[in-house]
Amino acid sequence: MNQTQSLLIIGFVWPEPNSSAAGGRMMQLILLFQEQGFQVTFASPAQDSDFMVDLSQYKVEKKSIALNSSSFDTFVKELNPTIVLFDRFMIEEQFGWRVAENCPNALRILDTEDLHCLRLARQKAFKEKREFQTKDLLVEEVAKREIASILRSDFSLMISEFEIELLKTTFKIDSSLLYYLPLLLESHQIPDLEKFPSFENRKDFVFIGNFLHEPNWNAVQYLKEAIWPLIKKELPEAVLNIYGAYPSQKILQLNNVKEGFLIKGRAENANEVVLKARIVLAPLRFGAGIKGKLLEAMQCGTPSITTSIGAESMQADLSWNGFVEDNLEIFAKKAVELYQDKKLWLAAQINGIAIIEKRYLRSSFEVDFEERVEFTLNNLQQHRLNNFMGELLQHHTLKSTMYMSKWIETKNKNSN
């Protein structure tokens, strides 16, 4: 790649790699593009946060931008990026038409993080106490917006093979518009079990997850009400430590020392708390994408017990680093068994290493990804001609969104 090429990332929020897997994922993408020779600018309309990463330390230029403002047009035209990466479909909706109008030759990539429509449709089915069905997606309002965003983009980064298959079969999205790029790890992140705490030197259970994410809050409720009492009955001395960024008051109120159910809030060092634990519990009942907390458990040599939703698209045909179980009684039983059986626990550790080595090493993806980016850049006109539905949506969206945005901008100016 040419050293003068530039990448503009438009973020939904500023990256917080210590708060969520999404933040870690964004930093992985930045590194991936930098190693291809791209100069990276990260722009966002979000407010600064106390836990955002210092982008300047990573040689990334930071730029605050405004919603519904023509000031972005001036900024993006002057920057003239080779590639624009949209962080989630909501950002593509806001800024995609402006990029298309002011930088028509820029490659537009959407990073989906996970399929929001799948997560929301599953959540709705769960709250209605029924099984999720694929047809639920077809009536999900967010699906219409998210699929339109995928079609308008030159291609979308997907972290889940299950979601790629869903897009191809249910929504008839062409495979040329989808690219599988999961969470990525470096070779030095493969755990050296000899340097990690042993079975005997670990104790207790841990759950970790950002509480702004509804599936995490629901999982903690499920642990509190149904699963943890069964485990505690068999292991009266055991403790479950609940860690997560942005805990609300209703989460903090679940803390109960007598029950060994401890709400710890944000972890200063997530790896450290997972390393000390003997088991990670993640009873996720709805959600999408792949789960950073479970990959982190494997990195720490900590076996985990999760559900089929939790493990979705993470292991392929490999054995899980613990157990995958949807029945709550069996989930609790397996947690007790794995906590007490050293032989079983050590075998689970080894399974986690195998999953990392075969599924998540950056070295397995970086060359192919660079080739995909370069090929699409070099054949952008034909690529877009092949995606007629995307071009059609781009045309109509540009017109409708443009006039709505200009109306909001004028309204804001008048009110000021």
Side-chain angles (χ1 to χ4, degrees), residues 118 122 160 162-163 287-291 307-315 320:
L118 175 61
R122 281 175 167 168
S160 164
F162 173 84
E163 292 175 9
I290 58 176
K291 313 305 179 293
T307 57
S308 54
I309 290 285
E312 184 175 272
S313 265
M314 290 199 68
Q315 69 191 107
W320 189 251

Side-chain angles (χ1 to χ4, degrees), residues 27 34 52-62:
M27 299 310 295
Q34 284 178 328
M52 60 189 279
V53 74
D54 182 356
L55 290 168
S56 65
Q57 291 187 357
Y58 297 87
K59 298 180 181 176
V60 174
E61 184 180 345
K62 177 179 179 285

Side-chain angles (χ1 to χ4, degrees), residues 10 12 67-68 86-99 110 141-150 152-153 394 397-398 400-402 405:
I10 309 178
F12 183 67
L67 297 171
N68 302 305
F86 301 102
D87 172 27
R88 289 167 259 206
F89 79 92
M90 301 83 81
I91 286 295
E92 189 280 333
E93 282 183 328
Q94 281 284 342
F95 295 98
W97 68 271
R98 292 184 182 275
V99 171
L110 171 65
E141 189 65 30
V142 168
K144 299 176 178 68
R145 295 169 55 197
E146 191 163 23
I147 299 306
S149 182
I150 288 170
R152 284 192 299 264
S153 302
Q394 186 66 257
T397 303
L398 192 149
S400 60
T401 313
M402 176 175 68
S405 184

